[in-house]
Amino acid sequence: MKKGNKLGIVVPCYNEEEVLKDTKNKLSNLIDELIRKKKISKDSFIMFVNDGSKDKTWQLISEFNKKDKYVYGLNLAANVGHQKALLAGLIKAAELCDMSVSIDADLQDDINVIEEMIDKYQNGCDIVYGVRSNRDKDSFFKKHTALGFYKIMSIMGTNTIYNHADFRLMSKRSMEELAKYKERNLFLRGIIPLLGYKTDCVHYKRLERLAGKSKYSLKKMVSFAIEGITSFSIKPITLIGILGLIIILFSIGFVIYSIVNYFLGNVVSGWASLFCSLWFLGGVQLLSIGIIGEYIGKIYIETKERPRYNIESFLDKKTNKNK
Ligand code: UDP
Ligand code: MG
């Protein structure tokens, strides 16, 4: 049996006025084409989620909503970050469509594979991951930090799809399941594999940003990586314990060595090495407390159960002139 085929493309946008028009046109053309090929229903839509942008992003989205029959707009009351903005869009989309495709506003991910994603969905997959097969267009730095990130994630025991960002198709029921994960420390790439439905991948080449600048500075990337690890794995705390054990065994060995030397009449010399080890251990202790503190901070944030985002307004077909 053919599954429901109303598509919602969810696009989180933060200060994207430079790319938005281009992105809207490309996605509208794609929807036209997919409707022509009878892959999706005529009431499919593009939902731009404005994540508290400071530029004209929301004005543009409202204009598009009036003129373009496919464009919906979800306006968040404040900037909550990419992951939460995307979640807001997906939870809204779960009410409105049979399947969603999430994609970044800069269209660095290839929209031509969306058709293949839909075919896989029709063949029984609930989640289809877009996987980058090359990163030629990324800078050397971006490429290597990103790859290092996936490696560290897998060493730390978090199940993420290698080279997959947030470009993916999700069925209605997988979006509904996702809505049940109530955490504030949100790392979607780690949660979605936990849903456990049948999944598949499509491969594509990562392109350059259409226009505008990356919103992920080094600082944001590092905090994203820490977020990803500490939200999914307690391995770092286990490693601290193991490190502590090794240091204790090492110091016992050192005590035995000193006693033997004392009886042999060799006075232990070397203040320098003593101080080095003192500083080293001080550092290890502070680092360990810091890592544990990171988890306690997370518990603190989760226990407050604050809302993850706040919706200011929503524009759908009703406000559209050519509906
Ligand atoms: N974004 C967002 N909120 C933020 C930062 C970014 O919604 O606080 C959106 C942004 O508009 C884009 C996506 O998240 O659609 C990914 O951002 P970007 O392209 O800057 O990241 P990169 O591709 O460089 O990792
Ligand atoms: Mg990008």
Side-chain angles (χ1 to χ4, degrees):
M1 191 190 73
K2 208 172 169 205
K3 292 200 264 182
N5 63 352
K6 180 172 177 186
L7 172 70
I9 301 182
V10 180
V11 191
C13 310
Y14 176 62
N15 295 346
E16 296 285 9
E17 60 180 12
E18 285 165 86
V19 289
L20 219 55
K21 189 157 196 264
D22 238 11
T23 301
K24 191 262 305 176
N25 289 338
K26 288 204 168 115
L27 291 175
S28 285
N29 291 341
L30 179 80
I31 289 198
D32 273 335
E33 192 190 318
L34 291 173
I35 291 175
R36 222 178 24 247
K37 290 185 180 167
K38 301 208 164 41
K39 299 264 175 174
I40 58 175
S41 70
K42 286 193 180 115
D43 51 356
S44 296
F45 60 89
I46 309 163
M47 188 198 295
F48 289 108
V49 182
N50 175 39
D51 183 17
S53 300
K54 293 181 184 63
D55 65 0
K56 293 210 185 69
T57 301
W58 181 246
Q59 274 115 293
L60 286 174
I61 296 172
S62 324
E63 265 170 47
F64 297 158
N65 169 258
K66 288 195 190 86
K67 291 186 205 136
D68 188 314
K69 59 179 183 289
Y70 300 131
V71 176
Y72 291 8
L74 182 67
N75 193 17
L76 301 183
N79 178 253
V80 291
H82 176 205
Q83 297 287 291
K84 289 189 192 125
L86 179 53
L87 180 79
L90 291 174
I91 289 179
K92 189 78 193 165
E95 301 166 14
L96 304 169
C97 58
D98 301 309
M99 56 180 155
S100 71
V101 169
S102 49
I103 190 163
D104 289 350
D106 53 22
L107 297 193
Q108 278 189 288
D109 304 302
D110 186 358
I111 60 170
N112 297 315
V113 298
I114 292 178
E115 187 177 341
E116 201 184 329
M117 287 178 165
I118 295 169
D119 291 342
K120 297 208 165 171
Y121 161 81
Q122 289 297 355
N123 287 331
C125 288
D126 274 273
I127 299 164
V128 186
Y129 299 105
V131 175
R132 297 160 181 172
S133 55
N134 100 331
R135 280 178 170 266
D136 294 349
K137 293 293 191 299
D138 272 347
S139 68
F140 179 83
F141 179 72
K142 174 100 199 180
K143 182 166 150 187
H144 284 85
T145 47
L147 290 178
F149 168 69
Y150 293 112
K151 288 225 174 78
I152 293 171
M153 289 296 288
S154 80
I155 294 168
M156 290 293 166
T158 307
N159 180 12
T160 48
I161 309 291
Y162 195 67
N163 250 338
H164 157 72
D166 286 302
F167 178 38
R168 74 179 82 79
L169 179 144
M170 293 181 81
S171 65
K172 191 185 192 74
R173 65 172 185 172
S174 64
M175 290 185 278
E176 286 165 351
E177 280 309 305
L178 176 66
K180 294 182 189 158
Y181 286 70
K182 297 293 182 199
E183 56 227 80
R184 268 88 210 133
N185 297 292
L186 195 63
F187 186 68
L188 292 173
R189 285 175 228 182
I191 299 175
I192 286 162
L194 299 179
L195 298 177
Y197 290 123
K198 189 171 175 216
T199 64
D200 205 343
C201 298
V202 295
H203 295 266
Y204 65 96
K205 287 188 175 156
R206 184 162 160 95
L207 312 165
E208 248 166 314
R209 229 177 189 284
L210 281 178
K213 276 206 272 314
S214 170
K215 308 292 179 295
Y216 271 97
S217 57
L218 178 62
K219 193 169 152 238
K220 271 199 180 174
M221 282 199 291
V222 171
S223 63
F224 190 56
I226 293 176
E227 180 83 40
I229 293 166
T230 54
S231 296
F232 279 87
S233 147
I234 54 164
K235 250 192 188 164
I237 295 184
T238 314
L239 290 178
I240 291 172
I242 295 172
L243 183 67
L245 201 67
I246 292 170
I247 291 174
I248 289 167
L249 291 177
F250 189 76
S251 54
I252 291 173
F254 194 71
V255 169
I256 295 170
Y257 172 79
S258 312
I259 293 172
V260 170
N261 266 319
Y262 179 78
F263 283 114
L264 293 177
N266 303 332
V267 179
V268 179
S269 62
W271 279 101
S273 53
L274 199 66
F275 271 95
C276 277
S277 64
L278 210 68
W279 279 80
F280 174 72
L281 278 183
V284 169
Q285 283 171 356
L286 283 180
L287 178 68
S288 312
I289 294 170
I291 294 177
I292 295 169
E294 191 69 34
Y295 287 93
I296 295 177
K298 288 216 141 62
I299 298 169
Y300 172 67
I301 291 183
E302 296 293 350
T303 51
K304 282 193 285 197
E305 293 194 18
R306 288 187 177 163
R308 292 177 283 190
Y309 53 84
N310 183 9
I311 295 175
E312 165 94 38
S313 52
F314 180 59
L315 301 175
D316 59 6
K317 270 237 157 86
K318 291 183 208 90
T319 44
N320 187 282
K321 293 212 171 101
N322 335 304
K323 57 190 159 210

